[in-house]
Amino acid sequence: MSAQIIEGKKISDLIREEIKRDAEALKEQGVVPGLAVVLVGEDPASKVYVGSKEKACQQLGFYSEVHRLAENTSESELLALIDKLNNQASINGILVQLPLPKHINEKAVIDAIDVNKDVDGFHPESVGNLVIGDDSLLPCTPAGVIELIKRSSGDISGKHAVVIGRSNIVGKPVAMLLLRENATVTICHSRTANMEEIAKQADILVVAIGKAKAIGSKYVKPGAVVIDVGINRLPDGKLAGDVDYEDCLETAGYITPVPGGVGPMTITMLMSNTITAAKRANKIGE
């Protein structure tokens, strides 16, 4: 039997409707959520992402600022802008688009963002709160993964989740969030000796390794939920995930396509974080 396709766009649209209602309710109280996005340089993919974020703000009725800085902007100039945005009342969320030019220290920039405006969830304090289970703004892609699982296949509690990949952006935080949902979590990576055997035990398999079609059906337990976070461009120009989608279609119970799976969720969760930060800044719903 063919797997049920987890339609990220459809789930993302549902969440955006919820966010829009929240934004309208806040507006009635005189609060407009504000997001500032900072782009340094001319990276083509980054420019596309920033444009998408700007569009999402417009659609949801948020206040939006986009700061497009030259490639040769100094680290001190960027830090001065962040300091200004930290102190700007109309801005609830700050996102500095990564990667940054090589002459700028990425960690220094992330550390400089006010943790209450850290809508990317990358600040060390946000990461620490995630690990110990305290309230924090969650990293967008991992939070999106959890929403996809919950809104398609249901309860995570008690399930065995295997995460393939240990990056700071996806692998580690998604493992922490799955743990928070009471899954039993195993993390596999490039040095894992018996990955196929471990992956095949998973009720939920999350793959984020950046290698096109690396995970086939031999890694998938029949009926498992398979979440593919990868996005890779093939030699023919087409996009493919880290999971061999066609090969896994008959084995998985639920599966995300690429594109159209996890991708649409990332910006939606960024908007969700911005509205959460706006509520907290104005002590609404506490």
Side-chain angles (χ1 to χ4, degrees), residues 116-139:
N116 297 305
K117 298 188 178 190
D118 172 35
V119 285
D120 243 345
F122 291 166
H123 191 284
E125 194 176 323
S126 300
V127 175
N129 284 331
L130 169 62
V131 172
I132 63 176
D134 274 5
D135 202 24
S136 65
L137 295 169
L138 302 175

Side-chain angles (χ1 to χ4, degrees), residues 204-267:
I204 298 166
L205 183 65
V206 181
V207 185
I209 52 175
K211 286 175 74 177
K213 301 188 178 187
I215 302 300
S217 60
K218 64 182 182 179
Y219 290 85
V220 178
K221 175 183 176 180
V225 179
V226 179
I227 307 289
D228 187 354
V229 186
I231 187 153
N232 311 280
R233 197 164 288 282
L234 299 174
D236 63 5
K238 290 181 180 173
L239 295 176
D242 294 346
V243 171
D244 189 333
Y245 178 77
E246 283 77 16
D247 186 47
C248 295
L249 210 48
E250 296 302 316
T251 310
Y254 296 82
I255 192 166
T256 56
V258 175
V262 175
M265 295 296 291
T266 301
I267 292 175

Side-chain angles (χ1 to χ4, degrees), residues 260-274:
V262 175
M265 295 296 291
T266 301
I267 292 175
T268 296
M269 300 318 292
L270 171 68
M271 299 297 126
S272 177
N273 274 349
T274 304

